[in-house]
């Protein structure tokens, strides 16, 4: 039996997860779901953003399917009690050091981007972001009254394992790998380059290049088509993956997979959107596509993953969309979108 730990979370989380499960039930009726708490919902119920029970269930599942967390209500709590701390702790507990964020412009949806259609047409890139190291987790860290500091730290082994995922991802795509760093300033970046140079020998077909992060931020807007796989550390990847999503235009379409640990975590890249929560208008496609990534990576079920991805492509090509897709000819609500994708699977 394949067990899925489901974390609906806050805001639009429950609405979009329900539709992803609706679609999953069509392609994989055999999956078993256990609902767990994290984020604001967990804080309200038990006082902490990541209950031990959630970690236990997650570690005993084949995958974690997650919606979104957070909201103004919990923003004033101490940092370790905020919803985001729950997500960071879950990533660490699962050991998911590799975050894959594909950014893909669908034919006909070029106008969604604020960048010229001619520049974004055909963009198909993947950000491979290191997820459990770097400045997010580095020690020491402290906020004093008049001084505060964080530590950006990487070990050789941490870099090797994520760089391998970068090279391997490139091998499955157009074989171009761009490592993004700040090697003109940071020692950690110098170590990343050393490791990538060493590994490159094992992947002679991959064209490896390096780019400083400030330039990469610029190049992503200027000519995003030059990128195939972008490999980068945690903080740079956080920033560049949001930028890549805006090259595409709708954050409601982009999925992500966090892998490499005992159990993978699959989630849309957007947040909990409290402003539209409960109205049934959020676009569930990013979550549905995350479920497809889950089938591909966690259950090794490429056939079902493609069924879902092709159904989404068909829905979009026929002009359907939710409120976030401004130029969609036929507007659907969250549930109608889930039902249509399920029907096309
Ligand atoms: C993301 C988010 C998280 C991060 C936050 C919510 C902690 O921005 O998944 O990109 O910074 O990693
Ligand atoms: Mg982010």
């Amino acid at each position: 039996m394949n067990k899925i730990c489901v974390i609906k979370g806050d805001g639009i989380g429950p609405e979009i997860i329900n539709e992803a499960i609706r679609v999953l039930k069509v392609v994989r009726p055999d999956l078993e779901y256990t609902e767990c708490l994290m984020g604001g919902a967990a804080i309200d119920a038990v006082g902490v953003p990541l209950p031990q029970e959630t970690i236990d269930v997650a570690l005993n599942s084949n995958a974690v399917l997650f919606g979104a967390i957070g909201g103004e209500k919990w923003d004033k709590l101490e940092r370790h009690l905020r919803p985001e701390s729950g997500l960071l702790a879950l990533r660490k507990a699962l050991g998911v050091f590799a975050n894959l964020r594909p950014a893909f412009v669908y034919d006909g949806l070029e106008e969604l981007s604020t960048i010229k259609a001619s520049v974004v047409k055909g963009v198909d890139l993947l950000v491979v972001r290191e997820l459990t190291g770097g400045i997010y987790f580095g020690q020491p860290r402290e906020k004093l009254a008049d001084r505060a500091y964080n530590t950006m730290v990487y070990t050789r082994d941490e870099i090797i394992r994520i760089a391998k995922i970068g090279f391997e991802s490139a091998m499955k795509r157009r074989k171009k790998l761009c490592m993004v760093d700040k090697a003109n300033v940071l020692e950690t970046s110098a170590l990343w380059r050393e490791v990538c140079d060493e590994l490159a020998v094992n992947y002679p077909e991959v064209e490896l290049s390096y780019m400083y992060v400030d330039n990469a931020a610029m190049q992503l807007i200027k000519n995003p088509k030059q990128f195939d796989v972008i490999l980068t550390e945690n903080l740079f990847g956080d920033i560049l993956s949001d930028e890549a999503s805006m090259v595409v235009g709708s954050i409601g379409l982009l999925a992500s997979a966090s892998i490499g640990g005992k159990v993978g975590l699959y989630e849309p890249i957007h947040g909990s959107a409290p402003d539209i929560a409960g109205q049934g208008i959020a676009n569930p496609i990013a979550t549905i596509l995350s479920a497809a990534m889950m089938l591909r990576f966690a259950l090794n079920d490429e056939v079902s993953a493609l069924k879902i991805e092709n159904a989404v492509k068909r829905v979009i090509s026929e002009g359907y969309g939710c409120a976030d897709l401004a130029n969609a000819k036929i507007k659907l609500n969250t549930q109608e979108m889930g039902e249509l994708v399920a029907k096309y699977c």
Side-chain angles (χ1 to χ4, degrees):
M1 180 53 102
N2 283 305
K3 292 193 221 151
I4 310 298
C5 169
V6 176
I7 301 176
K8 293 186 174 179
D10 310 317
I12 58 170
E15 302 159 46
I16 54 180
I17 286 283
N18 288 344
E19 297 316 311
I21 292 179
R22 183 192 305 282
V23 172
L24 280 171
K25 281 190 171 152
V26 173
V27 295
R28 287 294 301 253
D30 59 315
L31 305 182
E32 189 185 278
Y33 303 91
T34 309
E35 260 191 59
C36 288
L37 292 173
M38 184 169 84
I43 296 169
D44 289 350
V46 293
V48 291
L50 182 64
Q52 184 59 41
E53 196 192 334
T54 298
I55 301 179
D56 294 342
V57 172
L59 284 172
N60 283 300
S61 301
N62 297 85
V64 181
L65 183 63
F66 163 50
I69 47 157
E72 218 175 296
K73 181 177 169 195
W74 307 282
D75 277 351
K76 300 220 161 50
L77 295 170
E78 267 180 78
R79 179 167 308 282
H80 73 282
L81 289 175
R82 282 192 217 156
E84 293 78 5
S85 301
L87 176 57
L88 294 176
L90 182 65
R91 287 173 180 167
K92 202 69 180 174
L94 298 177
V96 285
F97 63 84
N99 182 219
L100 311 184
R101 296 187 170 183
F104 175 85
V105 175
Y106 287 87
D107 281 341
L109 293 191
E110 296 84 5
E111 299 291 338
L112 283 177
S113 178
T114 50
I115 303 173
K116 278 191 207 123
S118 60
V119 174
V120 301
K121 190 173 177 53
V123 163
D124 178 5
L125 63 86
L126 172 71
V127 178
V128 176
R129 167 190 176 192
E130 200 291 324
L131 201 61
T132 51
I135 200 163
Y136 269 60
F137 294 93
Q139 294 290 347
R141 59 190 291 163
E142 193 174 18
K143 182 181 171 296
L144 303 164
D146 299 308
R147 205 170 84 88
Y149 55 91
N150 292 90
T151 305
M152 187 186 272
V153 54
Y154 274 106
T155 63
R156 179 174 286 272
D157 286 347
E158 279 178 304
I159 304 169
I160 291 175
R161 63 185 189 178
I162 185 73
K164 276 189 183 159
I165 300 229
F167 279 103
E168 277 153 24
S169 303
M171 282 301 289
K172 289 189 204 132
R173 297 171 46 100
R174 301 193 302 280
K175 300 190 170 61
K176 280 174 65 177
L177 180 64
C178 180
M179 215 284 280
V180 172
D181 65 17
K182 192 70 186 168
N184 49 347
V185 178
L186 303 175
E187 281 74 14
T188 43
S189 295
L191 187 57
W192 274 73
R193 284 200 184 200
E194 219 174 274
V195 169
C196 287
D197 278 341
E198 285 165 20
L199 284 177
V201 181
N202 305 328
Y203 304 89
E205 285 172 58
V206 175
E207 181 195 315
L208 171 67
S209 62
Y210 295 107
M211 197 179 276
Y212 296 144
V213 64
D214 48 352
N215 186 27
M218 211 165 69
Q219 295 297 331
L220 258 176
I221 303 292
K222 192 177 167 208
N223 176 18
K225 261 175 284 195
Q226 71 185 283
F227 296 106
D228 178 18
V229 178
I230 293 177
L231 168 67
T232 191
E233 66 89 49
N234 203 344
L235 179 62
F236 300 159
D238 178 46
I239 299 165
L240 292 181
S241 58
D242 265 26
E243 191 186 356
S245 75
M246 277 299 104
V247 169
V248 174
S250 176
I251 203 159
L253 295 178
L254 299 180
S256 82
S258 301
I259 59 170
K262 256 194 85 190
V263 179
L265 174 65
Y266 301 84
E267 56 172 308
I269 73 154
H270 58 71
S272 57
D275 53 324
I276 58 163
Q279 297 176 34
I281 57 168
N283 190 343
I285 287 182
T287 315
I288 291 170
L289 291 173
S290 303
M293 290 185 95
M294 177 182 90
L295 296 177
R296 173 172 294 122
F297 291 112
L299 305 186
N300 227 337
D301 183 357
E302 182 68 22
V303 172
S304 303
L306 281 174
K307 263 190 206 162
I308 296 179
E309 287 163 355
N310 288 333
V312 167
K313 277 190 190 141
R314 179 168 163 203
V315 164
I316 288 173
S317 70
E318 290 180 358
Y320 293 100
C322 291
D324 62 319
L325 304 188
N327 61 348
K329 286 199 282 290
I330 311 147
K331 290 275 183 349
L332 303 180
N333 65 31
T334 311
Q335 185 177 332
E336 289 165 340
M337 180 57 91
E339 287 168 351
L340 189 61
V341 175
K343 186 173 147 203
Y344 284 177
C345 275

